[in-house]
Amino acid sequence: MDGRALAAASVTVVLWASSFISIRSSAAHFDPGPLAFGRLAVASVVLGAFLLIRREGLPPRQAWLGIAASGVLWFGAYMVALNWGEREVDAGTAAMVVNVGPILMALLGGWLLKEGFPPRLMAGVAVSFAGAVIVGVATSSGEDTSVLGVLLCLLAAVVYAVGVVLQKPTLKHATPLQVTTFGALVGALACLPFAGRFAAQVSRAPESASLQVVYLGVFPTALAFSTWAYAISRTTAGKMGATTYAVPVLVVFMSWLFLGEVPNWLSLVGGLLCLSGVAVSRMRGRTRDRSPRAVLKARPSEEPEAAQKSTL
């Protein structure tokens, strides 16, 4: 992954981590469906404005199937399932369960996209997932944890992984901004049945909750999904999925900063494992030098033999 792609992935990870906090904050005033519609509606307006400014126009016909599929699954179904799941479980548990998604992403990417299964990637996935489990266990409230909430977050992880794998080949035909803009628009249209309830709830919600919806639409959706699309267009789905394992530890620290929840030592251990797994997945193996000089050095026994033949 080059420097620009890594920077874009880092922006995505930070903003997606913040979305867990915002969803929890606004859940008291917005139901899962209306919250998803409001978030996607805001994102569609912002992204549409950028698309017009850059004059990128409509994506080509070959990209529409992937855009529609990822829009319905990742932008629509994922957000509704995650919003609903976070009403039942805390942010740490939700972040842990959703991080099953990158494992599915790496496996689907290796199988369907022929990206392969590099040993370092699989090792990083295993280490980071262990850390995500520790973070989720450490931040869960035990008796308040809902089986329904865990299942909903697991559903979110599944549609997230499938949506990303469908999005990756689409980026060969359309720009990241086109894929993100029309994906968000498709997701908003899929959530259109919740528009009436959103209008009723936003009229009763306090200003702070409404601003949370705007924040979710502008930053974790419009900006973060665009930086994600840019980064994944320059690397593999498996490597990008492993990068998101940094989200649980960021959720813990953001909960501490904004919600007053102090992380315990077990959360910190899990967070370090998450980051260690990301580092392992980023490591490169030794590349073999194929230059003529290196080939000659690799076969030193040939030089004396050649010299002996010349003297004869």
Side-chain angles (χ1 to χ4, degrees):
M1 190 185 298
D2 60 36
R4 292 181 179 180
L6 184 59
S10 301
V11 171
T12 298
V13 166
V14 172
L15 292 179
W16 280 357
S18 71
S19 70
F20 285 88
I21 309 301
S22 294
I23 290 171
R24 291 281 291 175
S25 300
S26 56
H29 306 284
F30 293 97
D31 292 335
L35 178 59
F37 171 78
R39 176 179 177 177
L40 289 169
V42 172
S44 298
V45 172
V46 174
L47 289 167
F50 275 106
L51 192 74
L52 290 175
I53 292 173
R54 292 179 60 87
R55 299 181 180 179
E56 293 195 10
L58 295 173
R61 184 176 57 183
Q62 300 93 322
W64 275 107
L65 181 59
I67 289 174
S70 62
V72 171
L73 291 174
W74 193 12
F75 287 86
Y78 167 77
M79 291 187 184
V80 174
L82 179 60
N83 294 345
W84 193 356
E86 282 209 62
R87 292 171 68 94
E88 305 291 331
V89 299
D90 56 86
T93 300
M96 181 270 292
V97 177
V98 169
N99 268 278
V100 174
I103 293 179
L104 300 175
M105 195 187 309
L107 297 176
L108 289 172
W111 175 40
L112 297 177
L113 303 182
K114 310 302 181 184
E115 293 177 352
F117 304 95
R120 285 181 177 80
L121 172 62
M122 303 312 294
V125 165
V127 172
S128 293
F129 182 68
V133 171
I134 293 175
V135 171
V137 171
T139 57
S140 64
S141 53
E143 66 276 1
D144 295 332
T145 301
S146 165
V147 175
L148 175 61
V150 172
L151 292 176
L152 287 167
C153 291
L154 181 60
L155 174 62
V158 172
V159 295
Y160 158 47
V162 176
V164 170
V165 172
L166 292 174
Q167 184 192 59
K168 170 67 176 174
T170 305
L171 290 163
K172 296 178 181 178
H173 306 289
T175 67
L177 182 57
Q178 287 176 328
V179 171
T180 306
T181 300
F182 290 98
L185 183 59
V186 169
L189 292 175
C191 295
L192 197 59
F194 302 111
R197 289 170 59 190
F198 172 75
Q201 291 176 359
V202 76
S203 63
R204 299 192 301 265
E207 183 180 356
S208 59
S210 299
L211 290 176
Q212 291 281 11
V213 177
V214 175
Y215 172 82
L216 285 168
V218 175
F219 293 100
T221 307
L223 178 56
F225 276 75
S226 296
T227 52
W228 167 275
Y230 173 82
I232 200 173
S233 68
R234 304 173 72 91
T235 186
T236 65
K239 286 186 177 181
M240 279 299 294
T243 303
T244 62
Y245 276 118
V247 169
V249 66
L250 294 177
V251 171
V252 171
F253 283 109
M254 288 180 179
S255 298
W256 172 41
L257 290 174
F258 299 108
L259 302 179
E261 299 174 356
V262 181
N264 56 38
W265 67 271
L266 192 58
S267 298
L268 297 178
V269 171
L272 289 175
L273 277 177
C274 287
L275 296 178
S276 298
V278 175
V280 170
S281 69
R282 299 270 76 79
M283 290 172 61
R284 291 183 179 181
R286 276 183 149 181
T287 57
R288 187 174 295 178
D289 191 352
R290 296 293 184 181
S291 64
R293 181 179 298 177
V295 172
L296 288 174
K297 287 183 178 180
R299 296 183 295 177
S301 60
E302 294 183 4
E303 293 182 3
E305 184 178 353
Q308 184 178 7
K309 289 182 179 179
S310 63
T311 57
L312 293 175

